[in-house]
Amino acid sequence: MTDLPDIATVIEHALLRPGMTPQEIAEGCEIADRYGFPVVCVYPSAVRQCVELLHQRRCQVCAVIGFPLGATTSSVKLYEAMEAVENGAKELDVVIHWGWLKGGETQAVYDEIAQIVNDTGQTVKAILEMSQLTPEEQKLAVEICLDAGVHYLKTGSGWFGGATVEQVEFLRKMTQQQVGIKASGGIKTLEQAHALLRAGATRLGTSRGVELVQQQEEINA
């Protein structure tokens, strides 16, 4: 396993369970800081709280935009993204409008994500929802997002199934390491995590980061 990074260094600690309280968000930030996770991923309403709690810590705050369906209007997504950045978010996980993609509205998909990339000036990860796209639609989504200047491609929101090795391998082949790859959803075991990393993932979105670290510690003990 020497070819793989310390698992904690690639985990984006997801605090996205519906109905999470401010206290639970605070506990999640404390956990992320304690275990050395590079990112907490939260809804926009929690950004300011997390930024204040993690001030001068290594952990950055990522906001999900248009989450989880991607079907809000482009102006709403842009406002949501800009407000998250104003509140201190350094990364944005933006759900593309995959209904438009499936309907052939490719220019609209491009314009939306490109404007968020250009206007926010922060790290943007495009959530593709690959499980809901045909292979041809997946290819088109990748091409659009690369042209728009995104920094990462993310397999999905986690609401429509978990990340797979096949999805990550496809993204690695398509991107040729031009951008990062975030695998997200259903990552419960260290074995799964390692398989996704070997396939080409550079970040892992999961709420089970502590369990993964503990599994790693057991192996290394």
Side-chain angles (χ1 to χ4, degrees):
M1 296 183 186
T2 55
D3 60 321
L4 296 172
D6 175 15
I7 199 67
T9 66
V10 295
I11 289 174
E12 294 196 16
H13 190 44
L15 304 175
L16 298 170
R17 191 182 75 250
M20 289 192 82
T21 66
Q23 177 61 30
E24 289 172 321
I25 295 292
E27 291 170 355
C29 288
E30 193 278 327
I31 286 170
D33 180 53
R34 186 196 322 159
Y35 284 88
F37 300 150
V39 176
V40 291
C41 194
V42 299
Y43 290 103
S45 59
V47 168
R48 186 184 295 273
Q49 178 191 4
C50 294
V51 169
E52 291 174 353
L53 290 170
L54 294 168
H55 180 60
Q56 294 186 333
R57 310 290 179 90
R58 291 175 296 174
C59 188
Q60 299 292 338
V61 178
C62 172
V64 292
I65 304 299
F67 191 88
L69 303 177
T72 49
T73 64
S74 296
S75 60
V76 167
K77 279 188 187 175
L78 179 62
Y79 184 91
E80 188 176 35
M82 294 297 291
E83 184 178 42
V85 170
E86 289 171 5
N87 286 335
K90 298 299 184 184
E91 300 189 5
L92 303 167
D93 280 18
V94 183
V95 187
I96 68 167
H97 198 311
W98 41 279
W100 285 349
L101 182 77
K102 296 177 80 67
E105 302 291 332
T106 55
Q107 187 63 47
V109 177
Y110 169 84
D111 290 343
E112 180 178 271
I113 196 75
Q115 186 172 21
I116 292 173
V117 170
N118 292 331
D119 288 8
T120 64
Q122 299 298 328
T123 297
V124 172
K125 291 172 242 136
I127 303 178
L128 304 184
E129 213 62 80
M130 294 181 70
S131 68
Q132 302 302 300
L133 304 178
T134 67
E136 185 56 37
E137 288 166 349
Q138 291 176 4
K139 182 174 182 292
L140 188 57
V142 171
E143 292 171 346
I144 290 171
C145 290
L146 290 179
D147 286 346
V150 304
H151 306 88
Y152 285 80
L153 294 174
K154 181 177 173 180
T155 56
S157 63
W159 285 52
F160 301 93
T164 68
V165 166
E166 291 75 21
Q167 290 170 354
V168 174
E169 287 176 340
F170 175 84
L171 292 178
R172 181 176 67 177
K173 181 179 179 181
M174 283 289 299
T175 61
Q176 296 294 307
Q177 298 182 320
Q178 296 178 60
V179 297
I181 298 171
K182 179 178 176 180
S184 189
I187 306 171
K188 301 177 181 179
T189 69
L190 189 64
E191 182 179 7
Q192 281 179 296
H194 283 169
L196 292 165
L197 291 170
R198 288 193 181 95
T202 54
R203 292 272 190 90
L204 302 175
T206 179
S207 61
R208 298 173 182 263
V210 173
E211 295 172 37
L212 298 181
V213 171
Q214 290 172 342
Q215 291 173 38
Q216 180 177 259
E217 289 173 346
E218 289 173 5
I219 291 173
N220 293 337

